[in-house]
Amino acid sequence: MIIGIQGIRARKLRTLLSMVSLFLGVLAVVVVQAGASIAEHALLADVELTDGIEGTHVMDMGPQPGVTDIVVSTVAGRSDAVAAMGTQAIIGEPGVRPVNEGGSPIDEDWGSPQTCDAAGNCQGPSGPKGEAVEVRLTALTGDIRVFRPFRLESGRWLDFGTLPAMAPHLVLNKEAAKGFERHHVPAEMRVGGAAANLTPQFIGVVDDGDQQPRAYVRLDELTNWLPPAGFSDPTYGGGELRVLMTPATPAEKVLSAKLKGIGAEPYVSTINSKKEREKELALMRLIFFSMAGLVLLIGVAGILNVGLATVGERVEEFALRRAVGTPRALLAGIVLSETLLTGLLTAAAAIGVSAAGLKVVSSLVGHSEPLLQNVQFPWEAGVAGIIAGIVAGILGGFVPALRAARIPIATVMRA
């Protein structure tokens, strides 16, 4: 290693040229690994918003009398299980049809919903369209962000540690906030089955990954006006009932037993997004690493060319070392150590440039891309860069090392 360092110092320009030819290859490997790690994190983060964190147990059940009462009495006040119950709500002018009938996204039109009787006679809603927005109202028994890490855009999240208010606090998702930004509506909310119209209070906006307008409310604030049984009534858009739980909670067995006792059959699944997308992520990595490998091979060819030229110039030196008893393996090690050191120095430079570049990109576009805010350089990218530098050093120095080891002692007579 000492002789290798001395050789690098004696041929600074040639070492620099070797590093330049190898730099782009190692940089490509580092960038691809960093990009793949960030892309994987972004993909899984979007899935966590819509489905839940990896390993979360999800219990779904259909609308049936008594189900909502059992769910609320079992999971209310627990931190390891949260129930989410959905129904439709219209916020705005009374007696008018909303601008997005059926709770469609603000810029889409799903058409007017129809209600049908037992005889099959269907009719659409009556009345004129007015300043009102229809949202999917999700009532929560606790903080769902433990299982679905919503990103807070503005305001604040629901506070489950205070007494329930008679005027329910609502947190809107981004699509619902878009509707209320465009349409300034009266603060009056109509919920099917409620005793009277409610006066909601908007307190925040979150990114929940849902394209449908949705609002989140504390269940105990909504049940001041709507009994829990109303959430299982499909007539008013109810029937959405889901419980998110940690894997080790005893609430799952208790809740399953109670539901089966009334004839309800819940469906339990586990969030396993990473495994489901493993093939997709592996294919993405394979494609990009193949491209980076081609660039790295070009760098290896450059360092191999420089290494062969260097050995050709040092024939007499290596023959003299052989004449004084230096083993062939040590001669090969001297040459290989130079290329390995060159590869490691190049890897360090590529890692440093990549980390600095990621920090600059984060500071420039982080405000518009939440996933790039305060993003850290992935350690996997650093490891990949070091491995690429070592592999390039070995591949680029193997042939020159063999050539140096085979130099005959008689060559010393030239000196």
Side-chain angles (χ1 to χ4, degrees):
M1 292 296 293
I2 294 175
I3 297 173
I5 294 173
Q6 290 174 345
I8 291 175
R9 292 179 61 185
R11 285 170 289 276
K12 298 183 181 67
L13 181 59
R14 184 165 292 181
T15 302
L16 180 61
L17 292 175
S18 300
M19 291 178 63
V20 169
S21 64
L22 188 60
F23 177 79
L24 291 178
V26 178
L27 182 65
V29 173
V30 174
V31 170
V32 166
Q33 179 61 50
S37 299
I38 295 174
E40 179 180 346
H41 173 71
L43 180 63
L44 295 178
D46 290 339
V47 174
E48 288 176 352
L49 283 181
T50 55
D51 297 338
I53 294 176
E54 191 84 1
T56 299
H57 287 196
V58 180
M59 180 181 292
D60 291 298
M61 57 215 79
Q64 188 172 331
V67 168
T68 52
D69 292 328
I70 290 177
V71 171
V72 172
S73 62
T74 305
V75 306
R78 300 187 67 95
S79 59
D80 55 358
V82 173
M85 306 179 185
T87 187
Q88 294 297 112
I90 299 176
I91 304 175
E93 294 178 333
V96 299
R97 293 155 55 195
V99 295
N100 61 326
E101 290 183 286
S104 65
I106 303 303
D107 296 323
E108 299 180 17
D109 185 6
W110 290 356
S112 302
Q114 294 185 340
T115 55
C116 302
D117 56 21
N121 300 318
C122 301
Q123 61 179 0
S126 59
K129 278 194 175 184
E131 289 297 298
V133 177
E134 185 171 352
V135 298
R136 188 68 182 168
L137 189 62
T138 302
L140 304 172
T141 60
D143 193 349
I144 197 173
R145 296 179 302 171
V146 177
F147 306 99
R148 292 177 60 187
F150 298 155
R151 293 190 284 264
L152 189 64
E153 297 288 325
S154 63
R156 59 185 176 87
W157 179 247
L158 300 171
D159 185 1
F160 291 88
T162 59
L163 292 175
M166 294 299 293
H169 296 90
L170 299 186
V171 175
L172 308 174
N173 70 352
K174 294 172 66 175
E175 189 65 23
K178 183 195 301 184
F180 291 111
E181 183 181 8
R182 296 181 184 179
H183 304 275
H184 299 283
V185 303
E188 183 171 333
M189 181 167 68
R190 309 194 299 275
V191 181
N197 289 349
L198 293 68
T199 303
Q201 304 178 65
F202 298 161
I203 62 172
V205 178
V206 295
D207 180 8
D208 63 351
D210 197 344
Q211 300 301 315
Q212 185 179 11
R214 188 177 290 269
Y216 297 90
V217 61
R218 285 173 52 173
L219 178 65
D220 52 3
E221 292 185 348
L222 193 58
T223 50
N224 289 328
W225 307 89
L226 177 68
F231 291 98
S232 60
D233 190 350
T235 306
Y236 302 114
E240 178 186 338
L241 181 53
R242 169 172 288 188
V243 181
L244 305 177
M245 302 166 288
T246 59
T249 177
E252 181 177 346
K253 293 183 178 179
V254 174
L255 187 56
S256 296
K258 288 182 177 180
L259 291 173
K260 291 179 180 179
I262 64 170
E265 191 66 33
Y267 173 74
V268 181
S269 60
T270 302
I271 302 297
N272 200 357
S273 305
K274 192 170 184 179
K275 184 177 181 180
E276 293 173 356
R277 287 162 175 78
E278 190 172 353
K279 291 184 178 179
E280 179 183 346
L281 295 172
L283 179 61
M284 179 182 66
R285 288 177 182 269
L286 178 62
I287 293 173
F288 285 107
F289 270 119
S290 298
M291 298 171 61
L294 291 176
V295 181
L296 184 62
L297 286 177
I298 296 174
V300 170
I303 197 172
L304 174 62
N305 186 33
V306 173
L308 288 173
T310 302
V311 170
E313 293 178 357
R314 300 172 66 184
V315 169
E316 291 81 3
E317 173 194 342
F318 290 142
L320 184 58
R321 292 184 182 277
R322 285 281 294 117
V324 296
T326 303
R328 294 181 183 273
L330 186 55
L331 285 180
I334 292 173
V335 176
L336 201 58
S337 67
E338 291 187 18
T339 57
L340 278 174
L341 289 171
T342 302
L344 289 174
L345 290 174
T346 305
I351 293 170
V353 170
S354 301
L358 181 59
K359 189 172 183 179
V360 171
V361 171
S362 175
S363 62
L364 291 178
V365 301
H367 61 282
S368 59
E369 294 292 338
L371 289 173
L372 291 178
Q373 290 180 359
N374 301 319
V375 65
Q376 300 296 323
F377 185 74
W379 64 268
E380 300 97 330
V383 173
I386 294 174
I387 293 175
I390 293 175
V391 170
I394 293 175
L395 293 178
F398 184 73
V399 175
L402 287 180
R403 183 176 177 182
R406 292 175 179 176
I407 294 175
I409 299 177
T411 311
V412 74
M413 300 304 296
R414 299 178 187 174

